[in-house]
Amino acid sequence: MHGRLLNDRYELLAPIGSGGMGQVWRARDRSLGREVAVKLLTATGSAGTAGSAGSTGSTGGDDQDQLLARFRQEARAAASLDSPYIVAVHDHGTDDGTPYLVMALVQGRSLDQVLRGSVRVPVADALRWAADICRALDAAHSAGVVHRDIKPGNVMIAQDGTAKVVDFGIATFMERAAGDARLTQTGQLPFGSVPYLAPERFRQEAGDGRTDLYALGCVLYELLVGRPPFTGSAAGVMYNHVNDAPLRPSRARPEVTPPVERLVLDLLAKSPADRPADAAKVLERILAAGAAGAEEAEGAKAGAAYGTPTPDVQDSVPAADSLVVEDARPQSSHSPGVRKEPTPLDAPGRQRRSRKRVLMTTALVLAAVGIPAVLGIRSLTAPDTESASDAKDTPAAVYTIGVAHSYTHVGAERSTGAGDTYEKSEFKQFTTQQKRTVESAFAETLGAKGGSRFRVVPVSANPDTTSRKLLAKHPEMLAVIGDTVDFSWVHDTDEAFLPEISTCSEVAHAAGAFAIPADEARQGEAMADYLLTRTKARRVFVAEDKIWTDREDGIGTALRRAGVTTKSLDTSPNEIKTSQIPALVGRARADAVVVPTGADINVWAKKLWADGFKGPVLTQSDPEGVCEDSKERSTAERRDKTVPDGVLRARNYSGEPDENLPARGNQELYDGALALATALKKLPAEGSATSASSLRHTLDREIQGVSVNGVLDEVSFEKRRSARERPVWFDRREDGKWTEVGKVDKEFEATRQ
């Protein structure tokens, strides 16, 4: 495809993005001597195929001609739109049967990429970008064009901060290309991105501009809260859109003012008649809410304290339908009163690895079996350059916060080499992603002035690195956060003490460590809630050594406290023969079986069912699946293929977006960073003579008392270390894949199918 010349004019140079609508390429317009973005459209469905040469589909050449005529009609309508808030369409055509659009190149990132890095954004930024989307919709709707697929991936943030909407008219063409009949086929969903579709789309109603306003409400909700109004399976989200009210934004984020909340909820009204009349009315309300929110304006300025955007789109190829393109030309300015400055809310990516139960002893064993000492800690930013002479000119100390990644990540320093080009790119995305996510949470909590006290640096978690070694490199470091589980340090002295917040692992494995994901005790509570409310099971056999299950924070203890009778193994599950499984469960008179990560769920489930066991069989997700990198995720997927249909699993981390690797773990990391930033606010004021060592102990005590509203739920720590009341999700293995069936927050709530 690289080097392909479309109609002897547009030379494809490099892919920028891809998704259900086709591919976006950086291209050169040989006629005008400029670079452009070219979108190659691939439409499939009952109306035939427009994306391949010579395709006749099921309807023959006449329908193919009709399909291309529709494309030309929609492309002309899109090209007629003239607004600085719409990415301009320069040209359209077909080449060898493939329709394509030629668009302006816009330097910047999509809102989808912004949310991957920032999870949620300052309220003022959310309102500013929503206002720009309204301006785009107002221009389009006035011209009779409805977008029908407003989502973060179809909104670009240019370098000057302007939001620009892409793909006007394309959704209409693609839906028609797929065939209107698909809307009435059993099990089919309407064209578009389900998290942002209006209820009338699921009711097979045509809709109008107010359909776009509902989608705008979903986007604004996600910018403010950190997740769309409804999450889960496609069918479950469809039901939610039609029947359920979303959580009020202020419940998740108190700084959302009543006017902003009313606007969001009005946009999300089930009936189009109950929504604002048009985009111009929405814009008026956004500007009024922004003018009344001086507090939000201060929050917007905080984002600028953490650097500038990185517009280099060659570092990564997004996996979504986002158009990530560049243009050196200056963009139009905002209307008066709307802030216009670059923001650092973009970020490339996020990823990670899986592993079994991780404890302090595991890290020590790794070191003992020969993990090279050269895999020590290393910073991915420029080396520290502060010196004594610098300090004399600095009015207050700048402390360091480490954002940890695993030394095993692809592209990282390894005994097997540095990795190929893709691995290095993925590694760069991962470390940049983490850093920016933490910085975004700090900006929200600390503001510009408070945030200037702390510098965020990526560090590598390595079992060969002690806290003493890390502090020797970063003496002003106050805490580490992120994928910390590979650190093997023991805080043997006050000087080497370093607080740690693990946002990947459920295990708080060392003194000074806090863990965000639901631990085994919390998962046990959730399992009990599920069994007691959704099944008749009251006696559970736990396929794990009772030494582990009967710990204070073990699954067995949690199940019993919730009213479930349990029986565990007297030995390691590895010592149990497959033939013994039915007898063990039978003697326990169990009507449900829990198979923790230490035992093979494939073996247990198949043997039990072959012997006639009728009760539910539950397992746990990989403790750190949220932080897998691409290679480890592939390994986990291969392992999952052996899990038989019907198995249930408890998952201690948020959803698993398909092929959206850079976003995995962001919500947990953001919540942990909110907790850390809240504790940092309580440290002695700038200019105090308190040593960094003393501040670390003070910070540890403050983290223990933290209670903040996170993206997923409230963050607070019980018994010093484990976050309590964290959500636990339940999935069922169906047709060879995991399908979410519900979530335990305060109680079990089923995901409607």
Side-chain angles (χ1 to χ4, degrees):
M1 186 72 74
H2 176 79
R4 177 179 174 182
L5 193 62
L6 304 178
N7 289 336
D8 296 322
R9 178 172 179 177
Y10 302 107
E11 180 186 2
L12 302 185
L13 301 178
I16 297 173
S18 63
M21 288 189 181
Q23 289 185 317
V24 182
W25 284 74
R26 184 193 300 275
R28 180 182 293 108
D29 182 347
R30 288 187 172 184
S31 177
L32 298 179
R34 65 180 178 182
E35 287 196 346
V36 293
V38 172
K39 187 154 196 171
L40 302 174
L41 300 175
T42 303
T44 60
S46 60
T49 301
S52 59
S55 174
T56 60
S58 60
T59 58
D62 291 343
D63 282 352
Q64 180 74 0
D65 292 341
Q66 184 180 18
L67 178 62
L68 295 179
R70 287 173 176 168
F71 165 70
R72 289 190 289 270
Q73 178 182 349
E74 297 296 341
R76 284 194 294 269
S80 69
L81 301 177
D82 183 15
S83 169
Y85 308 101
I86 296 174
V87 175
V89 174
H90 294 325
D91 193 9
H92 67 275
T94 58
D95 181 84
D96 200 20
T98 301
Y100 65 84
L101 286 177
V102 181
M103 296 170 284
L105 281 151
V106 181
Q107 185 171 341
R109 296 187 180 277
S110 69
L111 271 187
D112 180 62
Q113 291 175 301
V114 169
L115 288 167
R116 292 185 191 190
S118 300
V119 179
R120 62 191 188 195
V121 304
V123 173
D125 281 335
L127 294 177
R128 177 165 58 95
W129 292 332
D132 286 352
I133 297 172
C134 280
R135 295 181 176 104
L137 293 177
D138 186 38
H141 294 170
S142 297
V145 178
V146 178
H147 193 288
R148 295 173 69 81
D149 195 23
I150 293 292
K151 61 182 180 180
N154 279 337
V155 180
M156 294 295 302
I157 305 302
Q159 266 200 321
D160 67 351
T162 305
K164 295 172 176 283
V165 181
V166 302
D167 283 358
F168 272 100
I170 303 307
T172 302
F173 161 70
M174 296 296 288
E175 185 164 333
R176 287 174 177 171
D180 294 338
R182 76 191 298 264
L183 297 179
T184 61
Q185 294 172 5
T186 302
Q188 294 290 329
L189 295 174
F191 180 87
S193 301
V194 172
Y196 311 97
L197 288 182
E200 57 267 27
R201 301 292 306 281
F202 300 109
R203 293 192 292 260
Q204 303 173 30
E205 299 168 2
D208 54 20
R210 291 169 296 182
T211 295
D212 285 345
L213 296 184
Y214 184 94
L216 170 62
C218 294
V219 172
L220 180 55
Y221 188 102
E222 186 171 5
L223 290 170
L224 294 169
V225 175
R227 63 178 186 273
F230 307 110
T231 59
S233 67
V237 171
M238 177 182 70
Y239 183 97
N240 296 144
H241 278 304
V242 175
N243 297 283
D244 296 336
L247 177 75
R248 289 183 173 273
S250 62
R251 292 278 304 278
R253 194 169 180 184
E255 64 266 36
V256 175
T257 62
V260 173
E261 181 166 88
R262 283 195 296 272
L263 172 61
V264 173
L265 296 179
D266 286 349
L267 288 169
L268 295 178
K270 304 302 180 187
S271 170
D274 295 331
R275 296 173 206 152
D278 52 45
K281 297 293 184 184
V282 179
L283 178 60
E284 290 178 5
R285 292 179 61 177
I286 290 174
L287 295 179
E295 181 179 349
E296 286 83 287
E298 176 63 27
K301 294 177 183 177
Y306 297 98
T308 57
T310 305
D312 185 3
V313 299
Q314 296 301 327
D315 287 344
S316 63
V317 178
D321 263 349
S322 58
L323 174 62
V324 186
V325 290
E326 296 184 324
D327 188 355
R329 295 170 295 177
Q331 304 296 328
S332 301
S333 61
H334 275 288
S335 298
V338 182
R339 186 172 68 87
K340 291 294 302 167
E341 56 188 76
T343 63
L345 300 174
D346 53 346
R350 167 85 178 131
Q351 55 227 258
R352 164 79 224 166
R353 104 205 141 282
S354 65
R355 56 173 79 82
K356 295 293 185 180
R357 185 194 312 278
V358 184
L359 295 170
M360 175 64 185
T361 52
T362 306
L364 294 175
V365 168
L366 286 174
V369 297
I371 291 181
V374 297
L375 299 183
I377 195 76
R378 67 185 180 95
S379 173
L380 296 179
T381 60
D384 296 337
T385 57
E386 292 87 355
S387 64
S389 60
D390 295 332
K392 291 186 294 185
D393 300 326
T394 304
V398 176
Y399 297 101
T400 300
I401 304 297
V403 185
H405 60 86
S406 171
Y407 75 106
T408 64
H409 272 295
V410 293
E413 186 177 10
R414 284 178 170 182
S415 59
T416 57
D420 59 24
T421 301
Y422 174 76
E423 290 177 334
K424 292 177 181 177
S425 174
E426 185 174 321
F427 181 59
K428 180 179 179 180
Q429 293 178 49
F430 173 67
T431 53
T432 305
Q433 172 73 64
Q434 283 186 314
K435 182 174 182 289
R436 287 178 173 167
T437 297
V438 172
E439 288 172 341
S440 178
F442 276 25
E444 177 182 325
T445 307
L446 299 172
K449 183 177 180 180
S452 65
R453 293 186 70 188
F454 309 105
R455 182 168 62 95
V456 179
V457 297
V459 296
S460 177
N462 189 321
D464 187 53
T465 299
T466 64
S467 58
R468 187 182 300 277
K469 288 182 180 180
L470 187 58
L471 290 173
K473 184 176 180 65
H474 301 282
E476 300 303 315
M477 184 170 286
L478 297 185
V480 291
I481 184 173
D483 188 4
T484 65
V485 74
D486 285 324
F487 283 124
S488 63
W489 58 52
V490 177
H491 302 295
D492 52 354
T493 66
D494 284 348
E495 291 76 16
F497 179 81
L498 186 60
E500 160 193 343
I501 297 182
S502 172
T503 63
C504 292
S505 174
E506 65 197 40
V507 179
H509 66 278
F514 300 85
I516 293 295
D519 63 6
E520 290 203 350
R522 174 65 180 146
Q523 291 180 65
E525 294 172 2
M527 288 179 181
D529 193 303
Y530 175 82
L531 292 171
L532 293 173
T533 61
R534 312 298 292 188
T535 76
K536 297 181 179 180
R538 299 297 181 266
R539 298 180 64 89
V540 175
F541 185 86
V542 184
E544 179 62 282
D545 192 328
K546 63 183 178 183
I547 294 176
W548 292 107
T549 65
D550 292 347
R551 299 189 325 261
E552 178 67 15
D553 59 349
I555 286 181
T557 302
L559 286 166
R560 288 193 298 275
R561 286 175 175 168
V564 176
T565 302
T566 68
K567 174 69 175 177
S568 304
L569 294 172
D570 294 322
T571 186
S572 167
N574 295 330
E575 299 179 13
I576 300 298
K577 296 179 180 179
T578 302
S579 59
Q580 296 176 298
I581 291 175
L584 289 168
V585 175
R587 284 196 296 270
R589 295 184 290 119
D591 41 24
V593 175
V594 171
V595 184
T597 53
D600 191 335
I601 181 62
N602 178 35
V603 171
W604 280 78
K606 287 184 177 179
K607 183 61 178 175
L608 285 169
W609 289 334
D611 194 64
F613 184 75
K614 301 298 184 184
V617 178
L618 295 87
T619 188
Q620 295 170 276
S621 64
D622 218 329
E624 297 178 57
V626 68
C627 291
E628 294 170 339
D629 65 26
S630 61
K631 286 188 174 180
E632 292 152 342
R633 189 178 183 191
S634 295
T635 300
E637 288 172 349
R638 288 194 297 271
R639 184 175 61 248
D640 281 347
K641 288 180 180 179
T642 67
V643 178
D645 285 354
V647 169
L648 291 160
R649 74 171 180 183
R651 171 164 40 93
N652 68 347
Y653 49 85
S654 57
E656 301 179 346
D658 293 338
E659 305 305 324
N660 194 21
L661 184 63
R664 291 166 63 86
N666 270 23
Q667 293 177 326
E668 286 80 3
L669 183 61
Y670 197 87
D671 282 1
L674 288 177
L676 177 57
T678 301
L680 289 171
K681 289 175 66 175
K682 299 182 180 181
L683 294 183
E686 293 183 12
S688 65
T690 310
S691 68
S693 175
S694 178
L695 287 176
R696 287 191 283 270
H697 285 277
T698 302
L699 180 61
D700 180 72
R701 291 191 296 271
E702 295 295 346
I703 295 174
Q704 295 173 40
V706 158
S707 179
V708 298
N709 286 323
V711 173
L712 296 176
D713 211 311
E714 181 180 345
V715 179
S716 58
F717 296 96
E718 183 183 73
K719 299 173 184 175
R720 300 190 70 229
R721 303 305 172 193
S722 295
R724 303 304 297 154
E725 305 301 330
R726 297 298 286 176
V728 175
W729 291 263
F730 284 87
D731 307 319
R732 179 182 289 111
R733 194 72 178 170
E734 295 177 345
D735 299 325
K737 63 181 181 180
W738 292 108
T739 300
E740 183 180 316
V741 296
K743 179 181 75 170
V744 173
D745 193 340
K746 303 301 180 185
E747 58 186 21
F748 183 84
E749 179 181 350
T751 299
R752 298 172 176 87
Q753 301 297 321

